[in-house]
Amino acid sequence: MSGGVLLRPWRRSDAPAVLRAFAPEEMSRQSGGHPVTTEADALDWIARWERERAAGTGYAWAAVRAAACATARGETARGEAVRSAAVQGEALGCVAVTAVNQVHGCGWVSYWTTEAARGCGVASAGVRALARWAFDDLGLYRLELGHRTDNPASCAVARRAGFTAEGIERGKLRYGDVHHDVERHARLATDPVNFG
């Protein structure tokens, strides 16, 4: 748990939340090339992550508000407002480590949040928890992530989660006919942020 966010494996019962999360058009890029427009698609999305986990090549977690942090009034112990879905344990986002390479001890981190959870610290807390898990449980040494240079919110998540910017990869992503530059970030198991 990190920042009041708990990571748990995706469950079949999360299909309605997954479907809602992928409803906005901009989320289609986060579906791994498989549109999520029906409950069957959402169940398939969850099943793909189960297969990745079984193969040891990728691990996705649902990010939820920790129940222990919520009071009956729907607030955290710090008095921050919590949406009712969060209090009930509905997935507010996804954090994942993929392309796990045990030979080199590295993996690729990705994350997204639902519209309702954006700006609430869910992504950065989830990525911090994921990093600790990947270093401690998977034994990885290096985690990488990238975001479009025109996405300052994703950059802020990476920095708040302890990932250092390493450089720009020109024209790396293509959406439609437009190529986008990507800023790469990384966090090492030996970085001071892991010991604070």
Side-chain angles (χ1 to χ4, degrees):
M1 185 173 74
S2 176
V5 172
L6 177 70
L7 303 183
R8 64 161 172 76
W10 287 95
R11 306 180 293 224
R12 291 181 57 81
S13 61
D14 290 321
V18 170
L19 186 57
R20 281 192 301 280
F22 283 104
E25 186 177 330
E26 74 271 8
M27 284 296 294
S28 65
R29 293 188 292 255
Q30 299 288 339
S31 66
H34 303 277
V36 180
T37 58
T38 67
E39 189 161 336
D41 293 339
L43 288 168
D44 184 57
W45 183 88
I46 293 167
R48 282 196 313 276
W49 281 116
E50 290 169 350
R51 289 190 298 274
E52 288 266 344
R53 182 179 296 272
T57 56
Y59 303 86
W61 302 92
V64 300
R65 285 279 182 209
C69 294
T71 67
R73 292 187 336 213
E75 296 179 337
T76 66
R78 293 197 271 313
E80 301 163 339
V82 177
R83 292 166 178 82
S84 61
V87 174
Q88 297 168 8
E90 182 172 318
L92 299 174
C94 178
V95 295
V97 59
T98 59
V100 173
N101 182 322
Q102 291 292 352
V103 172
H104 297 291
C106 58
W108 183 262
V109 171
S110 62
Y111 47 89
W112 54 259
T113 59
T114 62
E115 285 184 307
R118 291 191 187 136
C120 298
V122 171
S124 55
V127 172
R128 281 192 302 272
L130 174 75
R132 279 194 299 279
W133 176 82
F135 294 143
D136 294 345
D137 290 25
L138 292 182
L140 298 183
Y141 178 75
R142 177 182 171 88
L143 296 174
E144 301 174 346
L145 63 82
H147 62 82
R148 291 186 335 264
T149 56
D150 65 349
N151 187 346
S154 191
C155 184
V157 167
R159 291 180 185 278
R160 282 193 303 266
F163 284 70
T164 301
E166 292 190 329
I168 304 296
E169 297 174 281
R170 297 178 304 134
K172 181 171 183 167
L173 297 178
R174 185 179 81 179
Y175 299 126
D177 294 331
V178 179
H179 288 267
H180 296 271
D181 293 347
V182 170
E183 184 172 47
R184 181 175 296 242
H185 295 247
R187 181 170 160 178
L188 305 179
T190 54
D191 283 346
V193 69
N194 296 312
F195 306 105

